Amino acid sequence: GLTFQHRIENIIHQIQFDSVRVGLERWTEAGGNNLLEGIILINKYQYPDLDTEKIHKKLNQLKQDIWLELNENLTSFEQIRVVNQILFDVHGFTANKKNYHSPSNSYLHLVLETGNGNPLSLSIVYILVCEMLEIPVYGVNLPNHFVLCYQDKESIMQRFSQAEFGRDIMFYINAFSRGTIFNGKEIELFLKQIKVDSQESFFTPCDNFTILKRLIANLAFAYEKTGELDKVNELNKLLHCLGYRPQSM
């Protein structure tokens, strides 16, 4: 009976895995514009029966709570202060330093439920909420530590603002330390500390493909630590789906 049971489970798992894989291929072909959609697909890898409605509800609630505190006259810094206050003080999102490498830090629905996350997952919550509020915050794919930037696209004062090296980035945000604001000089210092050569991509917004690749890589690393090598192999296959894409200009 058990082998039969086992075979059935394997078949079901294979079907579910294929559905995630196909979903990611489609997401990639469509240009990967919808970050949330891509992230939900990764969640479904481990949680096929995921209640996506709950994710939407929670994100909408965060958006609403922030929106109530925003007004037209706020500077970019003040906007971010509001976002930080609602996410970290009111809703209690926090850096999961105790179980930093736990797979649960990489599944959005768990991060939204528990409020615990790693630098990437807390940044993802931040990005998704800012996107809904049209606040220009984007991910920055820094090695060892994912951060955010506030990109000033419209400012007529552009030439006079302290934009980072003409990158139209006003400042950076560290979601892992309650939304601390910092500048490009600190990124340079950080890179020196970890002995990595500076490159443009460590200072500028990354695309959704990069975010998803990093998310999958984090998960693969987490499962490698727990010895679940089947999962590592499957995640590498999912990573592969994101590899083939038309070069965006």
Side-chain angles (χ1 to χ4, degrees):
L2 275 177
T3 42
F4 182 69
Q5 174 72 22
H6 196 67
R7 213 174 304 154
I8 297 285
E9 280 168 12
N10 279 346
I11 292 169
I12 291 171
H13 176 74
Q14 200 50 52
I15 292 168
Q16 287 165 343
F17 176 74
D18 286 341
S19 122
V20 171
R21 195 175 46 83
V22 169
L24 268 184
E25 280 166 3
R26 286 197 187 129
W27 183 84
T28 301
E29 281 158 19
N33 298 324
N34 187 328
L35 178 60
L36 181 56
E37 199 179 294
I39 298 219
I40 283 174
L41 280 166
I42 307 298
N43 270 234
K44 285 190 167 171
Y45 163 68
Q46 179 65 40
Y47 299 95
D49 305 324
L50 184 69
D51 181 359
T52 52
E53 195 42 49
K54 266 172 90 169
I55 292 180
H56 287 286
K57 254 194 167 136
K58 180 70 178 183
L59 288 171
N60 274 314
Q61 187 197 350
L62 295 172
K63 174 208 154 183
Q64 188 65 17
D65 290 356
I66 295 167
W67 181 79
L68 290 171
E69 301 294 324
L70 291 174
N71 66 61
E72 294 295 302
N73 311 316
L74 297 185
T75 65
S76 49
F77 285 109
E78 289 165 338
Q79 283 182 337
I80 293 309
R81 208 174 295 148
V82 170
V83 176
N84 287 345
Q85 197 214 339
I86 300 296
L87 288 183
F88 303 113
D89 297 339
V90 177
H91 285 274
F93 280 91
T94 183
N96 191 350
K97 290 177 180 161
K98 268 218 298 279
N99 299 319
Y100 188 82
H101 291 298
S102 162
S104 65
N105 287 330
S106 292
Y107 291 116
L108 180 64
H109 68 294
L110 296 179
V111 174
L112 290 172
E113 266 170 41
T114 62
N116 286 334
N118 59 23
L120 180 62
S121 58
L122 292 174
S123 295
I124 285 170
V125 172
Y126 212 106
I127 292 167
L128 291 170
V129 171
C130 284
E131 194 176 63
M132 295 163 93
L133 292 158
E134 293 179 12
I135 297 172
V137 166
Y138 307 98
V140 178
N141 195 28
L142 199 56
N144 297 2
H145 198 89
F146 195 88
V147 293
L148 301 161
C149 66
Y150 189 105
Q151 193 172 29
D152 182 26
K153 285 203 165 74
E154 278 80 39
S155 171
I156 310 155
M157 296 296 288
Q158 185 52 49
R159 283 159 301 154
F160 314 105
S161 78
Q162 274 111 37
E164 294 281 341
F165 325 112
R167 294 185 178 107
D168 69 16
I169 284 160
M170 296 182 67
F171 51 83
Y172 296 92
I173 304 158
N174 184 356
F176 198 61
S177 67
R178 302 175 61 81
T180 314
I181 287 173
F182 61 101
N183 64 26
K185 299 259 184 304
E186 292 176 66
I187 293 185
E188 281 167 15
L189 269 174
F190 174 71
L191 292 169
K192 276 204 185 83
Q193 276 170 359
I194 61 169
K195 299 183 171 51
V196 171
D197 290 338
S198 192
Q199 59 186 56
E200 191 64 11
S201 67
F202 300 156
F203 296 87
T204 48
C206 66
D207 62 13
N208 293 341
F209 291 100
T210 307
I211 293 178
L212 243 63
K213 280 179 181 171
R214 186 149 177 170
L215 183 64
I216 296 171
N218 281 355
L219 268 175
F221 184 73
Y223 286 127
E224 205 172 343
K225 277 184 120 50
T226 58
E228 295 173 81
L229 300 184
D230 296 356
K231 290 188 174 166
V232 177
N233 288 333
E234 287 183 332
L235 287 163
N236 285 333
K237 284 180 190 163
L238 294 182
L239 213 43
H240 208 62
C241 301
L242 298 169
Y244 300 116
R245 61 190 174 94
Q247 280 305 309
S248 51
M249 294 301 286

